[in-house]
Amino acid sequence: MSLQILPRGKWVGARVKRVEDPRFLTGEARYLADLQIPGTVHAAFVRSPYGHARIRRIDTSAARALPGVLAVFTAEDVATLPPLASGLPIEGLKPTPQTVLAKDKIRFIGEAVAVVVAENRYIAEDAAELVEVDYERLPAVTDAERAMAPDAPLLHEDLGTNVVYQKVTTLGDVDSAFAQADRIFRRRFHTNRFVAAPMETRGCLSVYERSSGQLTFYSSTQMPHMLRLFLSLFLGIPEHKVRVISPEVGGGFGQKMTIYPEEVVIAYLGKVLGRPVKWVEDRRENLAAATHAKEQIIELEAAVRNDGKVLGLKARLIGDGGAYSFNTASALIEPLAAAGIIPGVYDIQAYQHEVIAVCTNKAPVGAFRAVGWTAAQTARELFFDEIARELGLDPAEFRRRNVITSDQFPYTTITGMVYDSGSYQESLERALELVGYEELRRRQAELRQQGRYLGIGISLYVEPTAWGSEIALQAGFPFPSHDNATVTIDPTGKVRVAVSVHSHGQGHETTLAQVAAEILGVSIDDVIVEHGDTDRAPWGMGTYASRSAVIGGGMVALAAREVREKVLRVASRLLEVAPEDLDIQDGNVFVKGAPDRSLSLFQVAFAAYLDGRVRAEGEEPLLSATKFYDPRATYSNGCIVTVCEVDGETGTVHLDKIVAVEDCGTMLNPMIVEGQVMGAIAQGIGGALYEAMVYDENGQLLTDTFVTYALPTATEVPELIIEHLETPSPVTIGGIKGIGEGGLLAAPASVAGAVLDAIWPAGRAIEQLPLTPERVLAALGGETGV
């Protein structure tokens, strides 16, 4: 298979406006909540008000008696449904099965204990409040380190521990590296727990036809085919009789790639009640019961020479997995992913890591943009800043002395990741040039003399992308990951592209149309891209982990190339020339060097379907092809530099500018790339300065609305300067790399680094994010461990 089958011409690389936007801007897009099916009834979940408790008794009589209530279900009523559990095949990982409705015990506030079904949502919500649950409150544990203690309250008594995984891995000669070091540095970081907070919350609608045994399930999911598979297994319905439709989805960011208990319950209710059943969660439910992310305690130790060369690293990573080792990729999704990326873009030859996953009385942890990598990047970059200051080195110079250089590619990291290509040093230098680094340092020194706090934060990163089977294995998560695309030219010469990757804001209907249009020689106006319906799209894993451009683009390119070859064969018989003497441009097939000898694509397609004389014996008339793609591992990279000023009296942070230099290989559409970078950086600003899911010692969630959970708004996002470098991957079709995670992976380290750079001469180090005004003031006041 040639990797060069995707040319760069009229469409690939062009700044094409998103073709899907008109329906969003005009209000024509239909989300899950907009779907209206006759006879629909509505579900509301009864959720635990406590963080840890036994269920003594559930009395549903008052709820059942309310007019308009059809049914109330508890765990006993859905006992035939199997529990959810991670199937990740990693030795030593302890399972924590989760029943779809809590049975006997609840382990986090917001866990569902019952569900009410009523004629409308208002009645369902009212009835849910009438369900009486007698709880025996239990001591809770919301601190991961406390949960590891022998006397800690146990979430899963059968395990005898809250630690579901613990392993030490030594790579290279760590003892020798530390013995040779001139200096040993240590630092502890506690990254904050924050969430995806998509504009659209979770929701689903179950429609079951008893006559045919067919289940149609609408869900705001990122993975329609995987959801179909699991619903089939959970409900005992043959998979070919399950159809999953994911309509417009108002953001996912990883939170909606999980298979949730609520989805299984709603699907089951549709089957047993024989009525369409709909559930759409409110924001409080989303904050309390949907997956959380990012919280880790990371202890780092570095062996360093006096010239700044890092000889070796040690890391202890404790992932706070919440109440269950959740079903997507287990409680390891944070600390194991982090462990693999700790060396980052740096040439580290000795590394030891201890990965620990712990259960606590919080919502389970799941995927969220740059899962695991955000915490690792933040801890390492802030640590390296401290080391540089201790050695009297400029932070940029410290990075120059350790970064992997372009002549080292392909580079295999000490953790086994194979960096295929990149521009690590180049992105650092370009970002520093764009921000005016040398002048900023001079300005910083002047302002310090005036008692002002100007800071500059550098975050140099590598981003694992194109999540196929190979990169999953390199990252420590051994599961297959691949997808398919079908490209079809109909008899009128128009193109339909059906893909298994799902778009929920990424612009697939534009970028994948650009790929097909480039290869087939048509306008993107003649291409439609379909996704989100398991009956119309070929089987695949869905959208997550910066994979859609690489895998989606690659599989569309492969299928389009095969269809192009079919078109040329038919046209060659019509024009009586060899296929290799033909080309396709602007919807016309013509003879190279003689463009007047041509046929429209309509003419060729019409003949292919309806004129048997142009087909060779045994040749099919359909101008269609389905192709699979499971790419080699490829890694994007970049550098984010933040400039900020800290108010010494209030502790508030003013962001002046952020420069982002990114390299995602061949860009399909620079405008969409920039949108990805901007959105991810905005989320990173939130993670660095504002967002935190806070629980008290009893497991009560204190940030369960947007009044208490602070999201950044447009006024908190400063001027963004984005520049592109392009180092095409030598191992993927078209040289494409992913881009979706980098901003959130690297921005928190850059923003936090700028704040700490501003205050370090006058204050103490800060161990915990977000950098709220209270924490900044405490550090300026000399408090330690804040």
Side-chain angles (χ1 to χ4, degrees):
M1 177 185 71
S2 172
L3 298 177
Q4 304 306 316
I5 67 170
L6 180 59
R8 184 165 187 162
K10 181 176 181 179
W11 296 111
V12 170
R15 288 181 171 271
V16 177
K17 288 185 179 180
R18 289 171 27 129
V19 300
E20 51 266 78
D21 282 352
R23 69 175 184 268
F24 296 121
L25 297 173
T26 58
E28 295 179 3
R30 298 181 72 218
Y31 296 86
L32 190 283
D34 298 320
L35 302 180
Q36 302 293 330
I37 294 179
T40 295
V41 293
H42 297 259
F45 286 89
V46 179
R47 299 186 182 275
S48 168
Y50 302 115
H52 200 195
R54 296 196 189 281
I55 301 172
R56 290 172 170 165
R57 181 180 58 87
I58 302 177
D59 183 354
T60 63
S61 57
R64 293 177 190 274
L66 188 69
V69 171
L70 277 72
V72 182
F73 290 79
T74 66
E76 291 182 357
D77 303 308
V78 295
T80 57
L81 294 174
L84 280 69
S86 172
L88 198 63
I90 292 182
E91 185 178 355
L93 177 61
K94 299 180 177 67
T96 60
Q98 180 185 10
T99 55
V100 293
L101 293 174
K103 180 182 180 182
D104 302 327
K105 185 178 180 180
I106 59 93
R107 295 175 173 87
F108 67 98
I109 190 169
E111 186 169 8
V113 299
V115 61
V116 176
V117 183
E119 292 293 346
N120 61 53
R121 182 170 178 176
Y122 302 100
I123 297 173
E125 296 280 0
D126 289 344
E129 294 183 2
L130 297 177
V131 175
E132 296 182 5
V133 184
D134 182 11
Y135 293 102
E136 176 192 349
R137 294 181 63 178
L138 299 172
V141 58
T142 57
D143 178 270
E145 290 175 308
R146 169 75 182 105
M148 296 170 64
D151 61 344
L154 292 177
L155 276 77
H156 304 276
E157 288 89 347
D158 56 314
L159 297 182
T161 178
N162 292 319
V163 179
V164 295
Y165 183 86
Q166 185 168 11
K167 182 180 180 181
V168 176
T169 301
T170 302
L171 305 165
D173 193 346
V174 176
D175 291 340
S176 176
F178 275 76
Q180 295 173 26
D182 298 313
R183 303 279 299 274
I184 305 295
F185 296 91
R186 298 176 180 85
R187 173 55 68 190
R188 178 187 189 273
F189 296 94
H190 189 167
T191 58
N192 44 321
R193 191 182 199 87
F194 61 109
V195 296
M199 186 176 296
E200 179 202 30
T201 58
R202 298 176 297 154
C204 52
L205 169 61
S206 174
V207 183
Y208 185 74
E209 297 178 3
R210 286 179 173 171
S211 59
S212 64
Q214 174 80 30
L215 173 68
T216 302
F217 194 76
Y218 301 85
S219 173
S220 58
T221 181
Q222 299 174 216
M223 305 173 71
H225 285 91
M226 294 303 294
L227 179 56
R228 182 183 71 175
L229 172 61
F230 281 102
L231 290 179
S232 170
L233 296 174
F234 275 98
L235 300 180
I237 302 174
E239 190 175 0
H240 72 287
K241 290 194 172 186
V242 179
R243 179 184 184 184
V244 171
I245 300 174
S246 183
E248 308 289 5
V249 173
F253 310 112
Q255 190 182 80
K256 295 178 181 177
M257 64 176 282
T258 295
I259 310 301
Y260 283 98
E262 292 93 342
E263 291 174 310
V264 178
V265 170
I266 298 302
Y268 175 79
L269 295 181
K271 180 182 178 183
V272 299
L273 294 177
R275 297 274 298 273
V277 180
K278 187 176 187 179
W279 168 70
V280 178
E281 71 176 351
D282 60 32
R283 183 58 62 183
R284 192 182 297 266
E285 284 182 290
N286 180 262
L287 289 172
T291 51
H292 294 180
K294 307 296 184 187
E295 185 176 15
Q296 295 188 51
I297 298 168
I298 300 178
E299 297 173 354
L300 294 176
E301 192 171 351
V304 185
R305 290 197 315 236
N306 284 332
D307 64 1
K309 175 61 180 175
V310 179
L311 302 178
L313 289 173
K314 293 180 182 178
R316 187 172 191 251
L317 307 102
I318 303 173
D320 186 334
Y324 297 93
S325 182
F326 209 52
N327 63 82
T328 302
S330 82
L332 287 174
I333 195 167
E334 278 285 339
L336 185 60
I341 207 70
I342 283 284
V345 298
Y346 303 106
D347 187 13
I348 308 294
Q349 297 299 318
Y351 174 45
Q352 182 183 83
H353 61 75
E354 181 180 15
V355 173
I356 305 171
V358 184
C359 285
T360 62
N361 293 115
K362 302 176 182 176
V365 160
F368 173 27
R369 203 174 200 167
V371 63
W373 307 329
T374 302
Q377 175 79 11
T378 303
R380 186 226 309 122
E381 292 296 279
L382 297 183
F383 186 40
F384 279 8
D385 283 345
E386 289 190 16
I387 294 172
R389 287 193 284 264
E390 289 291 326
L391 294 174
L393 289 173
D394 183 276
E397 180 59 30
F398 180 85
R399 287 166 171 80
R400 291 186 183 106
R401 297 184 184 189
N402 288 283
V403 71
I404 297 163
T405 55
S406 296
D407 60 355
Q408 293 178 273
F409 293 114
Y411 179 92
T412 301
T413 73
I414 193 67
T415 61
M417 293 182 173
V418 182
Y419 298 165
D420 53 311
S421 59
S423 54
Y424 303 167
Q425 191 169 25
E426 295 84 351
S427 63
L428 170 64
E429 300 302 340
R430 183 58 181 148
L432 296 178
E433 180 184 355
L434 286 171
V435 83
Y437 186 71
E438 297 302 328
E439 175 57 32
L440 277 172
R441 285 298 182 195
R442 287 190 289 270
R443 176 68 173 156
Q444 181 184 52
E446 294 172 2
L447 291 177
R448 281 177 178 164
Q449 296 299 316
Q450 303 171 26
R452 292 173 60 182
Y453 303 101
L454 178 74
I456 309 152
I458 302 169
S459 183
L460 187 60
Y461 70 92
V462 61
E463 175 189 352
T465 73
W467 200 268
S469 302
E470 183 175 277
I471 203 166
L473 187 63
Q474 290 181 12
F477 293 89
F479 54 79
S481 189
H482 50 78
D483 279 84
N484 295 271
T486 299
V487 174
T488 303
I489 298 179
D490 65 30
T492 66
K494 305 305 180 183
V495 182
R496 184 177 75 88
V497 177
V499 293
S500 53
V501 292
H502 182 274
S503 183
H504 38 277
Q506 294 89 341
H508 293 172
E509 293 173 44
T510 303
T511 52
L512 299 184
Q514 287 177 259
V515 171
E518 190 72 68
I519 291 175
L520 295 174
V522 300
S523 167
I524 64 166
D525 294 334
D526 293 331
V527 182
I528 61 168
V529 176
E530 296 181 339
H531 59 89
D533 184 341
T534 58
D535 273 12
R536 297 179 67 84
W539 198 93
M541 309 293 286
T543 294
Y544 55 93
S546 297
R547 66 197 303 273
S548 294
V550 181
I551 297 181
M555 65 194 187
V556 169
L558 289 170
R561 174 61 62 174
E562 184 168 316
V563 172
R564 177 188 172 93
E565 291 170 356
K566 290 182 178 183
V567 168
L568 294 178
R569 284 199 297 269
V570 172
S572 72
R573 294 162 191 152
L574 293 169
L575 293 169
E576 298 181 336
V577 295
E580 56 269 25
D581 293 330
L582 295 173
D583 201 355
I584 312 175
Q585 289 181 14
D586 299 325
N588 292 299
V589 186
F590 61 91
V591 178
K592 297 175 183 177
D596 56 317
R597 295 186 61 195
S598 67
L599 294 168
S600 69
L601 193 56
F602 165 77
Q603 291 174 300
V604 177
F606 199 85
Y609 281 90
L610 299 173
D611 186 350
R613 292 172 298 177
V614 301
R615 294 199 306 271
E617 184 176 351
E619 192 173 76
E620 63 180 29
L622 296 180
L623 299 179
S624 184
T626 298
K627 286 297 181 180
F628 146 96
Y629 190 42
D630 186 353
R632 298 282 306 279
T634 187
Y635 295 79
S636 295
N637 69 271
C639 184
I640 296 178
V641 178
T642 298
V643 182
C644 79
E645 185 166 358
V646 176
D647 188 317
E649 294 185 354
T650 66
T652 56
V653 176
H654 171 75
L655 298 178
D656 179 48
K657 71 172 68 172
I658 294 178
V659 169
V661 175
E662 66 77 27
D663 187 342
C664 63
T666 301
M667 289 188 288
L668 298 178
N669 186 325
M671 185 170 64
I672 287 180
V673 169
E674 288 160 9
Q676 287 279 0
V677 174
M678 291 176 184
I681 287 176
Q683 289 178 315
I685 291 170
L689 300 179
Y690 304 108
E691 299 180 49
M693 299 302 294
V694 180
Y695 289 82
D696 69 11
E697 65 276 8
N698 298 313
Q700 286 292 324
L701 179 61
L702 305 180
T703 51
D704 60 352
T705 73
F706 283 161
V707 174
T708 50
Y709 184 84
L711 288 168
T713 67
T715 59
E716 280 77 53
V717 178
E719 175 191 7
L720 300 181
I721 300 171
I722 299 173
E723 183 157 311
H724 310 288
L725 301 177
E726 286 193 74
T727 308
S729 171
V731 300
T732 66
I733 290 173
I736 308 168
K737 303 176 182 179
I739 187 58
E741 323 276 330
L744 183 49
L745 188 159
S750 179
V751 172
V755 175
L756 298 179
D757 181 66
I759 69 172
W760 76 268
R764 301 281 186 174
I766 300 178
E767 294 181 354
Q768 189 164 359
L769 297 181
L771 298 181
T772 61
E774 293 82 3
R775 286 199 174 107
V776 172
L777 281 178
L780 284 170
E783 295 183 28
T784 60
V786 294

